[in-house]
Amino acid sequence: MSVVDVLVVGAGPAGAAAAIHAADTGLEVLLVDAATFPRDKTCGDGLTPRAIHSLARLGLADEVTRDYRNKGLKLRGFGGSVTAPWPEGHYGTVGSAMPRTEFDHLVVRAAVARGATLWEDATATAVTREGRSIGEVTVRHGGVDKQVRARWILVADGVRSTFGKLLGREWHRGEVYGIAARSYCTSPMSTEPWIHSDVELLDDTGTVQPGYGWIFPLGDGRVNLGAGALSTDARPAKVNTKKLLAHYAARKRQEWQLGPEQDVASALLPMGGAVSNVAGPNWMLIGDAAALVNPLNGEGIDYGLESAEMAVGLLQEGRDLTLVWPHLLRETYGEAFLLARTAARLLTYPTFLPLVGPLGLRGPVGAVIMPAAARLMGNLITDEDRDLIARAWRLSGAAVSRARRDTPLWSTTA
Ligand SMILES: Cc1cc2nc3c(=O)[nH]c(=O)nc-3n(C[C@H](O)[C@H](O)[C@H](O)COP(=O)(O)OP(=O)(O)OC[C@H]3O[C@@H](n4cnc5c(N)ncnc54)[C@H](O)[C@@H]3O)c2cc1C
């Protein structure tokens, strides 16, 4: 039996960041992951200024931005285009991109350097309950079952959250979710300082799909190229994302002088807080496990890092976390996520994007909408922003929240 203050299940960005924050406050931390690092994770590898801001709080921003930095987003589609530098403001103007094999390893190494104990090849498989609290956790470590008792358990086991499911986590597929594929391609433009998104994503029949294609330069002779589509149970995206990716790569090959797509991998993305039962008296779900992914761009590293810091902040208060944690998530992200989820849901209607895209994204309307869209796609509107777009976004968020009170948003069903 191992006894620690904090057990963190999953050592992706959310779990490893939580381990760092907890160790920094003097807690004894055990970080366990089913994989052995370095390990791959299907991702676009993009790090917005919002993520860099959180990495700075972990003391890791310099390492992540040393070899490659980007300045903003180039967004294209339906005859419109905009180059949107990362805006001055709360998060700073530096973005980056780093293959997850390297990035996640870096954050895990930092967690160990700061005092956390790491078990690799260690899968959390079972729990005993003491009332609604977790008593002991069984961790299969190197083929041997070990018991761990912790005062708090932070669950950062990613999109499928198999451990979270044991605790009652439920994912609502009636809400919008993403399916996406990524690849790596060589390109002489890999030091290009802009990330690129195409919102007019065509399949091989020329039909517009609800989603976007991206090329995120990595600065190491390669780019991360991918394509993602939005889906709901009622209107499932009828696309093979790997084929969509191949088609997108073919369209971009000449412009970017792309090598063949390598390491193609696809994954699901629950989004916008569309999960229930994310906490109990002594446990919380963070990162993807809590569906902390922006429905308008599929980004979740920044929210994973932020939720890690917020969760550790709550531990200090010593309260029952069952209602406190979902309440804090709703306060922090509720309106923005619900609005983004509602907007993303509209995109899943097959007629919406082909109709609205050409009208909205080019000409005089496009000149206003494209920069706003770029800010939204960069997760870069904050509560401190007072400009027209930010105000309109917040007002719409409040209105949608009132209208969709019953929609699942980190709800508690126990
Ligand atoms: C195709 C695609 C593109 C994306 N592009 C971007 C992007 O460009 N930028 C961005 O910010 N986000 C992007 N995202 C989202 C991003 O990948 C996630 O939001 C992010 O990885 C969440 O981090 P996490 O730590 O919560 O989970 P993960 O990174 O998934 O880590 C979970 C960890 O838990 C471990 N684990 C699972 N179960 C157990 C268990 N029972 N016991 C022990 N360990 C366990 C796993 O081995 C894994 O290491 C993308 C996602 C996809 C699918």
Side-chain angles (χ1 to χ4, degrees):
M1 170 79 76
S2 300
V3 181
V4 289
D5 295 320
V6 184
L7 169 65
V8 185
V9 176
I20 295 176
H21 286 298
D24 280 356
T25 61
L27 296 167
E28 194 181 349
V29 182
L30 175 60
L31 175 62
V32 303
D33 199 288
T36 300
F37 290 82
R39 61 105 179 84
D40 187 21
K41 153 79 178 80
T42 304
C43 189
D45 302 332
L47 297 164
T48 59
R50 189 167 179 152
I52 301 296
H53 179 76
S54 281
L55 288 164
R57 296 173 66 79
L58 292 165
L60 297 174
D62 289 346
E63 269 181 274
V64 171
T65 56
R66 195 177 43 222
D67 295 333
Y68 171 75
R69 289 171 172 222
N70 54 45
K71 301 197 278 200
L73 171 67
K74 284 184 188 262
L75 190 66
R76 265 199 233 175
F78 302 103
S81 71
V82 67
T83 298
W86 302 128
E88 302 281 344
H90 184 66
Y91 297 119
T93 54
V94 175
S96 187
M98 186 182 253
R100 290 290 297 272
T101 319
E102 286 167 46
F103 176 72
D104 290 23
H105 197 199
L106 185 146
V107 189
V108 166
R109 282 200 311 269
V112 173
R114 303 273 266 273
T117 300
L118 172 69
W119 289 358
E120 299 174 274
D121 182 16
T123 308
T125 56
V127 286
T128 61
R129 297 294 200 130
E130 291 171 1
R132 289 181 299 118
S133 295
I134 294 178
E136 284 168 24
V137 178
T138 306
V139 179
R140 194 159 182 80
H141 183 202
V144 178
D145 279 347
K146 298 181 178 173
Q147 300 305 311
V148 179
R149 180 171 277 276
R151 181 161 175 211
W152 294 289
I153 297 94
L154 296 178
V155 183
D157 58 348
V159 65
R160 293 193 181 275
S161 192
T162 42
F163 186 72
K165 268 189 224 154
L166 287 179
L167 304 172
R169 182 237 201 209
E170 193 189 344
W171 170 23
H172 302 279
R173 280 196 185 221
E175 297 299 317
V176 74
Y177 61 92
I179 45 174
R182 71 95 221 258
S183 66
Y184 292 104
C185 301
T186 55
S187 168
M189 291 163 68
S190 93
T191 52
E192 151 80 5
W194 301 93
I195 63 170
H196 291 243
S197 294
D198 286 82
V199 285
E200 187 179 2
L201 184 62
L202 304 174
D203 66 14
D204 47 8
T205 66
T207 308
V208 179
Q209 292 299 325
Y212 78 106
W214 71 81
I215 299 185
F216 294 170
L218 296 168
D220 65 355
R222 297 179 300 162
V223 297
N224 181 314
L225 178 148
L230 293 163
S231 202
T232 66
D233 263 359
R235 287 175 300 285
K238 295 190 186 75
V239 291
N240 174 331
T241 48
K242 290 186 180 175
K243 274 195 190 160
L244 203 58
L245 181 149
H247 187 67
Y248 180 61
R251 274 179 59 206
K252 294 285 161 183
R253 178 142 283 122
Q254 201 178 7
E255 180 188 342
W256 285 78
Q257 299 173 55
L258 298 171
E261 305 93 88
Q262 285 172 337
D263 299 325
V264 180
S266 63
L268 291 174
L269 294 106
M271 294 168 151
V275 293
S276 303
N277 304 325
V278 293
N282 67 343
W283 55 271
M284 289 177 270
L285 266 55
I286 59 175
D288 273 14
L292 286 163
V293 173
N294 184 334
L296 287 178
N297 64 9
E299 286 182 26
I301 296 173
D302 37 15
Y303 299 115
L305 299 173
E306 287 175 12
S307 62
E309 187 171 358
M310 290 193 312
V312 171
L314 276 186
L315 301 184
Q316 317 297 323
E317 298 175 16
R319 288 197 278 170
D320 181 323
L321 302 164
T322 311
L323 298 175
V324 172
W325 181 235
H327 179 75
L328 181 58
L329 288 176
R330 278 193 292 273
E331 288 274 293
T332 313
Y333 302 119
E335 283 187 1
F337 272 20
L338 204 50
L339 179 56
R341 230 163 73 187
T342 307
R345 197 188 181 88
L346 278 179
L347 298 175
T348 65
Y349 287 90
T351 46
F352 183 80
L353 200 53
L355 191 73
V356 171
L359 290 175
L361 297 184
R362 64 181 174 218
V365 180
V368 178
I369 288 189
M370 284 298 259
R375 262 173 89 190
L376 293 176
M377 289 191 79
N379 291 0
L380 295 172
I381 293 186
T382 69
D383 282 349
E384 288 75 37
D385 290 340
R386 292 280 168 263
D387 60 283
L388 199 62
I389 298 289
R391 279 169 201 253
W393 181 249
R394 274 195 297 272
L395 274 177
S396 318
V400 166
S401 291
R402 276 193 299 276
R404 299 193 64 202
R405 252 192 206 121
D406 298 335
T407 204
L409 191 69
W410 303 294
S411 31
T412 306
T413 58

